[in-house]
Amino acid sequence: LASPTSTVIRGQIQNIGQLVSDTIKGERFRPQSIGLSLLADGKEVQSSGSGITTDMKGIYFETRHDALPIDTKRIDIKLNSLTGYVDMDEVFMIEKGRQNKNISILDREIAINNVYESEGNTYVELTYDADLVLSLIRLRIDGVEVGPKDVIAGQYTKEGKDIKYSKTIVFEGTGNILQLKINRVRLDMDYDKIIYSYEEK
């Protein structure tokens, strides 16, 4: 929607059918923010805000930009990024010690650096991409599921172009059979892709 004072882009990310399908599969994606660029004849138009809403029909977005320059011949909309929560039901067998293999969530590797016991608690030390947030994680200890008792903040490190984050999650209880359960993550997904173009003939 273009006016002499502003330009508004509105669209839909998922319809109700996709939402229901994702919920049944247990892999529902709930967007939190969207990054769109509006290009007028190849030059970016200043953004003034964006928002996402959800109703019974689906998920909708709106971004607001300055007015298009006079005599604009071509516009492009570029999807830069999408941030949101993904519901899932992933369970990984882990063992005490440093010999655990890396696990993978949505094509992102999570390194299990160490699993150890101390004073009746089980400690799980993890390293993963800094833009990945493990927002719902639990541990099954000999079949008994427990949530985090505490989180020991770690540090950020740079590995080439990637920024990694390490932290240790403390779970109350100890046992022999350990299963790490991940039910929700927040993820920043980069696209840098033109999703719509219009050129005046």
Side-chain angles (χ1 to χ4, degrees):
L1 304 174
S3 77
T5 58
S6 67
T7 309
V8 178
I9 301 170
R10 293 178 182 149
Q12 186 178 31
I13 297 175
Q14 286 181 308
N15 60 36
I16 187 62
Q18 292 168 317
L19 284 173
V20 170
S21 175
D22 288 351
T23 301
I24 291 172
K25 292 187 294 184
E27 297 180 347
R28 183 175 161 210
F29 175 64
R30 291 176 291 165
Q32 300 295 302
S33 64
I34 188 169
L36 286 181
S37 292
L38 173 62
L39 306 176
D41 293 330
K43 295 182 179 180
E44 186 170 348
V45 179
Q46 182 69 38
S47 172
S48 58
S50 65
I52 288 181
T53 58
T54 302
D55 63 20
M56 292 301 293
K57 295 181 180 180
I59 301 171
Y60 300 87
F61 66 85
E62 177 179 296
T63 65
R64 296 169 294 282
H65 307 262
D66 289 349
L68 292 171
I70 297 175
D71 298 328
T72 295
K73 299 298 182 184
R74 178 187 174 92
I75 60 171
D76 295 290
I77 299 174
K78 182 168 70 171
L79 175 61
N80 299 313
S81 63
L82 198 59
T83 297
Y85 288 93
V86 182
D87 292 332
M88 59 186 62
D89 187 15
E90 299 285 349
V91 180
F92 304 92
M93 295 294 299
I94 61 175
E95 299 178 358
K96 285 174 277 190
R98 297 179 179 273
Q99 73 277 13
N100 288 281
K101 295 181 179 179
N102 291 355
I103 61 177
S104 179
I105 292 287
L106 301 174
D107 296 326
R108 300 293 186 97
E109 275 203 346
I110 300 174
I112 302 174
N113 304 319
N114 196 10
V115 180
Y116 60 95
E117 298 174 353
S118 178
E119 299 180 350
N121 298 313
T122 300
Y123 293 72
V124 180
E125 182 184 322
L126 306 171
T127 296
Y128 46 89
D129 291 339
D131 66 346
L132 179 69
V133 177
L134 306 177
S135 63
L136 188 55
I137 185 169
R138 301 177 69 82
L139 184 68
R140 287 179 187 160
I141 305 174
D142 292 339
V144 179
E145 193 170 298
V146 296
K149 178 182 178 182
D150 195 10
V151 176
I152 302 172
Q155 60 183 356
Y156 291 92
T157 57
K158 190 170 184 179
E159 296 182 8
K161 295 181 179 179
D162 299 325
I163 304 296
K164 300 289 185 178
Y165 177 66
S166 298
K167 72 177 181 182
T168 300
I169 306 176
V170 185
F171 299 94
E172 186 172 7
T174 61
N176 295 316
I177 301 176
L178 305 177
Q179 297 172 290
L180 193 66
K181 185 178 180 184
I182 300 176
N183 289 114
R184 184 182 301 143
V185 300
R186 195 191 76 195
L187 185 64
D188 296 334
M189 293 173 282
D190 295 325
Y191 291 94
D192 193 29
K193 180 180 180 181
I194 299 294
I195 59 172
Y196 176 84
S197 296
Y198 173 80
E199 187 167 8
E200 189 176 275
K201 301 300 183 181

